Amino acid sequence: MDPSADVDESATIGAGTRVWHLAQIREDATLGTNCVIGRGAYVGPAVRIGDNVKLQNHALVYEPAVLEDGVFIGPAAVLTNDMYPRAITPDGTLKRDRDWHAQGVTVRRGAAVGARSVVVAGVTIGRWALIAAGAVVHRDVPDHALMAGVPARRIKWVGRAGIPLEPSGPAEWRCPETGERYTEHADTLTLTPTEEPTREPARQATE
């Protein structure tokens, strides 16, 4: 852990996790094992982060976000928590914690959020999805979706390797890197189970 990092004593940091220069980990945050928290990254109070997660430089993860195992948050990406932000109440006084309700972003296993993208409060990003750099995500993202633009829309499907999938038949897709196959149904993509080789039953010994 870099000496310049600001890690609250109530935060839980898993074994092998590295926190780099000027990063801040707030009170009651939980980080799993083997994570990398880049320079200037921010993790808000009570944020929950799984194992093998990477927050790149200056990524901002506001409470009460949940990042599952294997998530990637790119440089300067922002996971927001306020749907209707205001500094003051209607009577002109400064807002306090009791004056608003934080809604965290949830990022499911293996998903990646590209550099300088913004994810709006309350959104869930599905497993193995990929958010392109600079995108603004304002609604939930299905598993394996490649989202781009402002506002973000799905432009392709991606596999677990992060590579865009290629069509291999009606409503069927294939990863050119791993060979994994996927099936599309009602705007949902699922990994096709690998068929195990058929084994003949063992022959019983005869006299």
Side-chain angles (χ1 to χ4, degrees), residues 172-184:
E172 294 181 351
W173 300 84
R174 178 182 179 277
C175 175
E177 180 168 313
T178 66
E180 292 178 334
R181 295 184 179 274
Y182 297 81
T183 303
E184 181 180 354

Side-chain angles (χ1 to χ4, degrees), residues 63-163:
E63 69 282 357
V66 176
L67 279 56
E68 295 184 347
D69 295 348
V71 163
F72 175 93
I73 307 295
V78 184
L79 277 54
T80 70
N81 66 351
D82 193 349
M83 285 292 295
Y84 308 105
R86 283 286 190 268
I88 58 176
T89 62
D91 64 7
T93 58
L94 185 67
K95 268 191 163 185
R96 304 296 183 182
D97 290 346
R98 64 181 178 274
D99 296 321
W100 67 290
H101 174 66
Q103 299 180 60
V105 169
T106 299
V107 186
R108 300 296 187 194
R109 175 181 172 85
V113 177
R116 291 194 177 276
S117 54
V118 176
V119 185
V120 174
V123 164
T124 294
I125 296 175
R127 296 175 306 148
W128 305 104
L130 176 59
I131 310 302
V136 175
V137 183
H138 72 291
R139 59 185 177 182
D140 291 351
V141 174
D143 296 350
H144 297 285
L146 171 54
M147 307 288 289
V150 180
R153 61 183 182 87
R154 186 179 68 80
I155 59 172
K156 292 182 179 180
W157 294 112
V158 293
R160 295 192 293 182
I163 306 298

Side-chain angles (χ1 to χ4, degrees), residues 7-27:
V7 179
D8 191 272
E9 61 182 12
S10 66
T12 301
I13 309 296
T17 289
R18 291 170 288 172
V19 182
W20 290 104
H21 188 56
L22 297 176
Q24 184 179 14
I25 312 296
R26 294 284 302 276
E27 57 271 19

